[in-house]
C-alpha cells in the first residue's frame, strides 16, 4: 500500500538525539484524512484514492461539493486531493486515515507544497545572476543584461532569465526523513525544511527515489 497523508505546516524546531546532536525538524499537522472516493481500473481506467482534509462549515461548501461529501458520509473538507495508486485495495469510502497508520520513524518521504510568494523580483534575486561593476562610473548594476543577438536570430529565446513573479509555485522536496510520529496528536516531525509558510497546505507521500 502506498503511504500518503495531507497536512499543514506548523513551523520549525529542533530535537536532540541520545548523543546530544541537534536535528532541525519541521512539525506538520498531518491528518486525519477522510476517503471521499476510490477509483479502480475496471470502473475508471486507473487506480486512485480521493481524500479530504480539515473540516469546514457546511455553509462554505457549494452544492456539488456537498453532494460528494454526503455520498461519502463525511463532513465537508477544506482540501481535497486525488492520490494515484497501483492498487486501491484496502481503502474504503468514508473511512478516516491517521498518520500513525501510514508513517513511522525512519520513513523517507517527498513533501509537496506552495512556496512562499516573493512578489516581483529582479534577475539577481530571482535567478542568482551576477551584477555589473559598482564603481568607475558604471551605470549597470542589477539590470537583466543582454537580450541576445541582433539580426540573427532577431528575437529573445524562450526561457531567458528575466525579472518577474518569484515564488508562489508548486515545489516538491524529496527524500526527507521522518524523525518522530505523535500519533495521538497527529503530528509528524520531518528532518529539514519543507515548502511554504506556516499554515501552508502539504501533501506527504512515500519517497519515489529513496
Amino acid at each position: 500500500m502506498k503511504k500518503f497523508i495531507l497536512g499543514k505546516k506548523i513551523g520549525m524546531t529542533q530535537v536532540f538525539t541520545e548523543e546530544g546532536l541537534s536535528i532541525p525538524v519541521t512539525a506538520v499537522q498531518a491528518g486525519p484524512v477522510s476517503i471521499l472516493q476510490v477509483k479502480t481500473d475496471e470502473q475508471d481506467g486507473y487506480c486512485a484514492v480521493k481524500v479530504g482534509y480539515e473540516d469546514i462549515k457546511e455553509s462554505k461548501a457549494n452544492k456539488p461539493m456537498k453532494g460528494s461529501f454526503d455520498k461519502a458520509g463525511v463532513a465537508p473538507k477544506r482540501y481535497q486531493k486525488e492520490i494515484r495508486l497501483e492498487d486501491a485495495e484496502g481503502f474504503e469510502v468514508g473511512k478516516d486515515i491517521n498518520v500513525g497508520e501510514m508513517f513511522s520513524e525512519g520513513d523517507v518521504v517527498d513533501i509537496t507544497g506552495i512556496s512562499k510568494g516573493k512578489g516581483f523580483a529582479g534577475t539577481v534575486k530571482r535567478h542568482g545572476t551576477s551584477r555589473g561593476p559598482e564603481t568607475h562610473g558604471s551605470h549597470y548594476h542589477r539590470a537583466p543584461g543582454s537580450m541576445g543577438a541582433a539580426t540573427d536570430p532577431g528575437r529573445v529565446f524562450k526561457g531567458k532569465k528575466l525579472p518577474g513573479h518569484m515564488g508562489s509555485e508548486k515545489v516538491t522536496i524529496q527524500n526527507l526523513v521522518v524523525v518522530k510520529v505523535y500519533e495521538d496528536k497527529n503530528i509528524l516531525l520531518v528532518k529539514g525544511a519543507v515548502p511554504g509558510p506556516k499554515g501552508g497546505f502539504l501533501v506527504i507521500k512515500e519517497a519515489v527515489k529513496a
Side-chain angles (χ1 to χ4, degrees), residues 83-141:
I83 310 292
R84 291 289 288 263
L85 305 170
E86 291 182 4
D87 183 15
E89 189 178 348
F91 292 99
E92 188 180 331
V93 175
K95 184 183 175 185
D96 286 348
I97 301 174
N98 295 310
V99 66
E101 300 173 37
M102 286 290 178
F103 297 104
S104 56
E105 292 178 25
D107 285 348
V108 183
V109 297
D110 296 340
I111 298 184
T112 302
I114 303 297
S115 63
K116 288 182 180 180
K118 305 291 185 180
F120 188 94
T123 55
V124 175
K125 179 177 178 179
R126 192 181 185 204
H127 301 293
T129 57
S130 58
R131 55 167 178 75
E134 294 288 355
T135 57
H136 296 286
S138 170
H139 293 284
Y140 172 77
H141 302 307

Side-chain angles (χ1 to χ4, degrees), residues 17-80:
T17 63
E18 293 179 359
E19 294 79 22
L21 296 174
S22 170
I23 301 176
V25 295
T26 301
V28 179
Q29 187 75 49
V33 296
S34 300
I35 299 175
L36 305 176
Q37 188 179 2
V38 177
K39 297 190 175 183
T40 59
D41 281 320
E42 297 78 23
Q43 191 172 346
D44 304 283
Y46 66 98
C47 284
V49 174
K50 186 179 180 182
V51 292
Y53 171 65
E54 193 179 347
D55 291 348
I56 57 172
K57 294 178 181 177
E58 277 198 28
S59 59
K60 290 191 174 183
N62 57 31
K63 280 189 177 181
M65 288 170 62
K66 281 180 183 176
S68 64
F69 293 132
D70 290 342
K71 188 177 180 181
V74 300
K77 305 292 181 183
R78 187 180 305 277
Y79 302 103
Q80 299 178 61

Side-chain angles (χ1 to χ4, degrees), residues 2-3 84 86 108-112 172-176 204-210:
K2 185 175 181 179
K3 297 179 179 179
R84 291 289 288 263
E86 291 182 4
V108 183
V109 297
D110 296 340
I111 298 184
T112 302
T172 299
I173 306 294
Q174 296 182 321
N175 297 339
L176 297 171
I204 301 114
K205 300 179 185 177
E206 64 176 322
V208 295
K209 297 180 182 176

Side-chain angles (χ1 to χ4, degrees), residues 170-189:
K170 193 176 182 180
V171 177
T172 299
I173 306 294
Q174 296 182 321
N175 297 339
L176 297 171
V177 179
V178 175
V179 176
K180 191 82 174 174
V181 178
Y182 294 99
E183 190 172 352
D184 55 332
K185 297 178 181 177
N186 293 310
I187 289 178
L188 203 63
L189 297 186

